[in-house]
Amino acid sequence: MNPKTIKLIIFIVILTSIVLSVYFVSMDRDSIREGIFVTSAAFLTLFIMSFLYKDNPYYKFAEHLFVGVSAAYWMTMGFWGTMMPNLVAKLWPGAVRGVLPALAEKDASYWFVIPLFLGLVLLMRLSPKGGWISRWALAFIVGTTAGLNLIRYLRSDFIAQVNNTIIPLVDKTEAGISFWGSFSNIFVFIGVLCGLIYFFFSKEHKGFFGGAARIGILVLMLTFGAGFGYTVMARISLLAGRMTYLFGDWLGLIN
Amino acid sequence: MLRFKAAIFTLLLLLLFCLSAAAQTAEELSDTAALEEPVYEIPRLAQVTNFEAKDSPDDAGGEIELTWDLSVDDKKEDGLVSKYVVLRSQNPTSDFHIVGVANHRDSSYIDKNLKEGTDYYYKIVTFPKYQGEVRLTREEIDPLMEQYPELTELDIKDVSMLAEYDRDIMSVFDDNILGISRVAGPVKSRAQWFNSKDLDTLIIGLTICISVVIFIGMARGGRKLFLRRIGGLQAIENAIGRATEMGKSILFIPGIQDMDDVQTVAGITILGRIAKTIAEYDTKINMPVSRSIVMTTARETIKEAYLSAGRPDAYSDDMVHYITDEQFGYVAAVDGIMVREKPATCFYLGAFFAESLIMAETGNSIGAIQIAGTAMPAQLPFFVAACDYTLIGEELFAASAYLSGEPKQLGSLKGQDVGKFIAMVFIIIGAVFATLAALTGSEDILEITNMIKSWFSA
């Protein structure tokens, strides 16, 4: 059969299924609105899942719809969630009286002229000759972030790590020395030291240092394996959620 | 005679009715009196001692720390103290209001959200447990709460107990009914410039920063700083060469975080080096991004790379294009680009979340050579499983230094190695002392262990 004819048949089947689904779900829930929403969500899910077979026009449709809607959504969120409360309401509280009345009563804070200036400087990129000025704002963002994160990472990835690894290698309990407790402590101690050696870049991984680095990467791979299994289980639960929607909310086959 | 009997009977009935009505009225009157007069005797407990109020140290201002010695009644087993109620005023003699409660057996409280530079006075009330029943109805409690919003700090039982004493509840705190401490104050809250609790962070941070500055100076002075080879980096040039030979494009994904994430910064730094090679090889690069500032930065980086490669004419802004901020919308679009354009090489360098496996699997399915790098521990397993080369954690940051060869980055990496060396030394020393303390049970060795641990208390 001509491929075009096959595509047309598939299109007609899908279209008919959508119409029938809207009809039956609407009848079931006494609401055409519900029928349209539930059917749209179900068919868009199926369109996205069709990517598992191969790229196709239905996936493309869902993809472009998703990208378009989400881009518009985030733009709106950026305007109403950031620009209005964090800039306009701070500089000209009276200007937001109609839309954000709670913020309109506060005093103006003219410090926010600085982010306004940086924002405008960032827009200079649109100017062919003044594009270089936008680098100031970028440099400010990158530099400030690096400085702020230095303390955060130093505490969480360095200081806390050292503190938690200072442990006795022998786990002594009231009943005597615990074998598994001691094994666990020694494993953590050696694992952390070898992991640090693996990430030591000033020395070639050769001899004793190379052996320790190999143990380090082995420990990392063991951790990754456990992490892989854990995350896959979480993904399975997401799949179960989608299946519950399709077979429960849409088709009504499961409660 | 019959009429007389009927009259007597009627009179008796009337008398009975009157007596019954009088008895009922008396009962109602007695009930009202029960509510109006105290029927529950609030136990007066011993007040707290050594009560002091002082500006909270090492803070950004707006906090006052209260400390006291427990009430004698709170030290007893199964004591009568239920909590300590904190009262505050800006006047030493009146206008005290409830600002918070501390649990019984607690001997401190931090009062927050205060105006800096204002004088405050405090009292602590040793508050008893209520042994009776809650007799107030919702209709009675609501107006009380409306009149005294500070009562929300107390339980319904506490309010009921106070109401049994006096319906003008707050007067209980003025009468000599509860164990109320002396007034502490005046005290002002002030911000401190220096947080002594973070002294360890300062010393460690300074040590690493000074090391970084020294190494940068050494690199600038022309001294060759040794950095070991990083596996994944050897493959980058080969991967670009492969794309050139196949006449296909290179896909570069900088993660889904903004420029405020250090991983994105590292990814963009590596992009600079990759873009230069791409410009030299005259290969195509496609870089869909999910953040507008990343788009701007990436365009700047690639433009500069093309300029330094002597190919400014080959640069186009279309090489970097914005998709959407939405995580899975971005993934759907990237997957679509992958299966339609079939790039020969995919780079995933930056901060990734749940989208990592979806993208890496799609890249794998089209047969692209894939090089990934991230410091997100939960996503590394997926990249390790689905990509040809993976820069694990700090290798991503090291790679950007290695590739750029800039003194600043090389010095930074060497300085971090000093930090790792310090960490290893203290872990070994601390673990040795902790083990000795566990084996010998020596208090002195345990103290040394705790002292070493305290130097690393985040």
Side-chain angles (χ1 to χ4, degrees):
Chain A
M1 201 183 288
N2 186 347
K4 274 190 177 178
T5 317
I6 295 171
K7 283 178 185 171
L8 186 68
I9 291 168
I10 293 172
F11 177 71
I12 290 167
V13 169
I14 290 174
L15 199 65
T16 314
S17 307
I18 291 172
V19 172
L20 285 173
S21 167
V22 170
Y23 174 75
F24 284 117
V25 177
S26 303
M27 292 285 283
D28 192 40
R29 303 189 179 209
D30 284 336
S31 162
I32 293 176
R33 193 168 154 270
E34 280 272 301
I36 292 170
F37 283 163
V38 171
T39 304
S40 303
F43 273 89
L44 286 171
T45 304
L46 292 175
F47 289 171
I48 290 287
M49 284 179 169
S50 69
F51 186 72
L52 290 171
Y53 170 58
K54 66 174 191 179
D55 192 28
N56 61 73
Y58 302 101
Y59 173 76
K60 276 184 194 164
F61 170 74
E63 174 201 322
H64 288 94
L65 184 72
F66 195 2
V67 168
V69 169
S70 62
Y73 172 79
W74 282 107
M75 195 197 78
T76 314
M77 285 294 289
F79 183 76
W80 290 106
T82 308
M83 288 276 286
M84 290 300 274
N86 293 347
L87 184 69
V88 181
K90 300 282 185 188
L91 288 172
W92 306 283
V96 297
R97 197 175 302 281
V99 284
L100 298 165
L103 298 176
E105 305 307 321
K106 294 187 176 171
D107 293 335
S109 174
Y110 294 107
W111 285 106
F112 285 80
V113 169
I114 298 169
L116 173 67
F117 170 74
L118 289 172
L120 291 173
V121 163
L122 206 58
L123 287 177
M124 285 300 288
R125 207 183 142 66
L126 298 171
S127 153
K129 286 185 180 173
W132 59 274
I133 300 175
S134 69
R135 291 182 187 179
W136 291 359
L138 280 177
F140 180 83
I141 294 167
V142 174
T144 314
T145 310
L148 288 171
N149 281 339
L150 174 72
I151 303 299
R152 196 159 61 92
Y153 284 117
L154 197 63
R155 278 188 187 145
S156 63
D157 293 3
F158 186 88
I159 295 174
Q161 190 78 14
V162 175
N163 186 291
N164 291 329
T165 318
I166 297 177
I167 45 174
L169 302 182
V170 177
D171 184 24
K172 203 174 177 189
T173 60
E174 284 179 5
I177 292 173
S178 158
F179 173 77
W180 288 112
S182 304
F183 175 79
S184 168
N185 286 3
I186 291 168
F187 187 80
V188 168
F189 176 76
I190 292 176
V192 171
L193 280 185
C194 293
L196 277 169
I197 288 170
Y198 176 78
F199 288 112
F200 204 77
F201 297 100
S202 298
K203 195 167 163 49
E204 198 71 68
H205 285 172
K206 281 179 184 168
F208 169 77
F209 215 71
R214 270 193 292 281
I215 294 173
I217 195 71
L218 194 71
V219 172
L220 283 174
M221 289 303 156
L222 279 172
T223 315
F224 292 159
F228 192 98
Y230 178 78
T231 314
V232 165
M233 287 308 292
R235 300 288 164 83
I236 295 290
S237 80
L238 285 178
L239 178 68
R242 254 7 258 167
M243 289 299 139
T244 308
Y245 179 81
L246 290 177
F247 291 102
D249 294 21
W250 179 41
L251 296 175
L253 296 175
I254 52 173
N255 288 320
Chain B
M1 190 62 187
L2 193 62
R3 277 187 183 177
F4 178 72
K5 277 182 182 173
I8 296 270
F9 184 71
T10 311
L11 273 171
L12 277 172
L13 271 178
L14 271 171
L15 191 64
L16 202 64
F17 176 75
C18 287
L19 281 172
S20 159
Q24 197 173 344
T25 312
E27 198 179 327
E28 276 171 7
L29 280 171
S30 121
D31 275 357
T32 314
L35 277 176
E36 281 173 355
E37 288 174 15
V39 292
Y40 182 79
E41 195 176 331
I42 299 175
R44 183 154 185 263
L45 304 176
Q47 64 191 52
V48 298
T49 50
N50 292 330
F51 174 44
E52 281 182 16
K54 60 176 183 182
D55 176 32
S56 203
D58 303 321
D59 70 347
E63 292 183 5
I64 287 174
E65 189 177 318
L66 310 175
T67 53
W68 58 86
D69 287 346
L70 296 182
S71 157
V72 177
D73 290 307
D74 198 17
K75 291 176 184 168
K76 296 173 189 167
E77 279 297 315
D78 200 21
L80 288 171
V81 180
S82 75
K83 56 178 73 73
Y84 294 104
V85 177
V86 181
L87 304 180
R88 185 183 70 207
S89 171
Q90 292 183 28
N91 185 326
T93 52
S94 60
D95 296 332
F96 278 90
H97 294 281
I98 301 171
V99 289
V101 294
N103 292 329
H104 78 105
R105 302 269 165 95
D106 277 358
S107 57
S108 65
Y109 178 84
I110 292 178
D111 192 19
K112 294 178 180 173
N113 302 321
L114 301 169
K115 259 190 196 170
E116 280 194 51
T118 306
D119 280 332
Y120 290 105
Y121 299 86
Y122 290 90
K123 288 199 278 190
I124 297 287
V125 180
T126 313
F127 206 85
K129 283 176 188 165
Y130 181 45
Q131 310 283 4
E133 285 177 16
V134 177
R135 294 174 61 199
L136 288 184
T137 60
R138 177 52 62 189
E139 288 72 30
E140 287 169 307
I141 287 171
D142 287 345
L144 279 173
M145 292 290 188
E146 242 173 63
Q147 193 180 352
Y148 305 110
E150 67 222 70
L151 288 175
T152 47
E153 298 283 346
L154 302 177
D155 294 337
I156 298 289
K157 282 181 101 176
D158 302 328
V159 177
S160 185
M161 178 177 74
L162 298 176
E164 285 207 33
Y165 172 74
D166 193 332
R167 282 307 167 101
D168 181 14
I169 281 184
M170 294 309 289
S171 68
V172 180
F173 291 98
D174 294 329
D175 291 352
N176 205 15
I177 296 298
L178 297 164
I180 302 177
S181 72
R182 66 170 181 82
V183 175
V187 60
K188 290 173 184 163
S189 75
R190 287 193 193 288
Q192 277 77 47
W193 282 100
F194 192 80
N195 184 355
S196 62
K197 285 176 194 160
D198 282 344
L199 188 64
D200 52 350
T201 310
L202 176 73
I203 292 170
I204 294 164
L206 269 180
T207 310
I208 295 171
C209 287
I210 290 169
S211 311
V212 167
V213 170
I214 291 170
F215 279 112
I216 289 174
M218 285 164 70
R220 278 186 175 160
R223 192 158 163 184
K224 201 170 182 328
L225 298 179
F226 173 78
L227 276 185
R228 73 166 170 85
R229 283 177 298 120
I230 299 166
L233 293 188
Q234 314 295 320
I236 288 181
E237 200 146 328
N238 296 341
I240 299 170
R242 181 178 182 255
T244 312
E245 282 169 12
M246 292 173 78
K248 288 183 174 181
S249 64
I250 289 167
L251 189 72
F252 190 100
I253 310 293
I256 60 162
Q257 290 293 289
D258 220 325
M259 286 310 295
D260 59 355
D261 193 299
V262 69
Q263 296 177 66
T264 316
V265 176
I268 295 291
T269 311
I270 298 173
L271 168 73
R273 176 72 181 196
I274 291 173
K276 195 177 172 194
T277 315
I278 288 170
E280 285 164 357
Y281 287 7
D282 198 17
T283 315
K284 280 182 283 178
I285 182 169
N286 185 3
M287 185 173 173
V289 297
S290 69
R291 305 283 164 162
S292 53
I293 295 180
V294 175
M295 181 182 77
T296 313
T297 319
R299 280 180 177 172
E300 282 293 329
T301 308
I302 296 177
K303 197 176 186 177
E304 210 161 280
Y306 270 70
L307 199 66
S308 67
R311 298 292 315 278
D313 53 306
Y315 170 76
S316 159
D317 271 352
D318 296 339
M319 289 170 174
V320 185
H321 52 102
Y322 173 78
I323 303 277
T324 170
D325 276 48
E326 165 64 38
Q327 182 187 16
F328 289 107
Y330 176 66
V331 178
V334 169
D335 279 0
I337 290 168
M338 280 183 186
V339 293
R340 279 158 223 150
E341 291 186 7
K342 296 204 174 7
T345 305
C346 296
F347 290 105
Y348 311 100
L349 300 168
F352 292 86
F353 293 87
E355 72 285 352
S356 63
L357 184 60
I358 305 172
M359 289 196 293
E361 266 302 309
T362 311
N364 197 295
S365 72
I366 58 164
I369 186 164
Q370 303 198 99
I371 298 173
T374 186
M376 304 298 285
Q379 308 311 320
L380 275 166
F382 300 122
F383 281 142
V384 169
C387 295
D388 299 276
Y389 296 96
T390 307
L391 300 170
I392 301 165
E394 210 185 334
E395 283 183 331
L396 173 67
F397 310 119
S400 67
Y402 193 93
L403 286 172
S404 69
E406 279 182 23
K408 279 180 197 165
Q409 293 206 30
L410 288 172
S412 166
L413 199 63
K414 297 291 274 188
Q416 286 172 50
D417 274 359
V418 170
K420 277 173 240 165
F421 180 73
I422 292 170
M424 280 192 275
V425 168
F426 278 99
I427 286 173
I428 292 168
I429 294 172
V432 167
F433 275 105
T435 310
L436 286 174
L439 287 173
T440 61
S442 162
E443 288 290 324
D444 292 337
I445 299 175
L446 186 66
E447 207 169 298
I448 295 170
T449 312
N450 290 335
M451 186 181 70
I452 296 170
K453 281 192 94 169
S454 72
W455 296 339
F456 296 91
S457 53

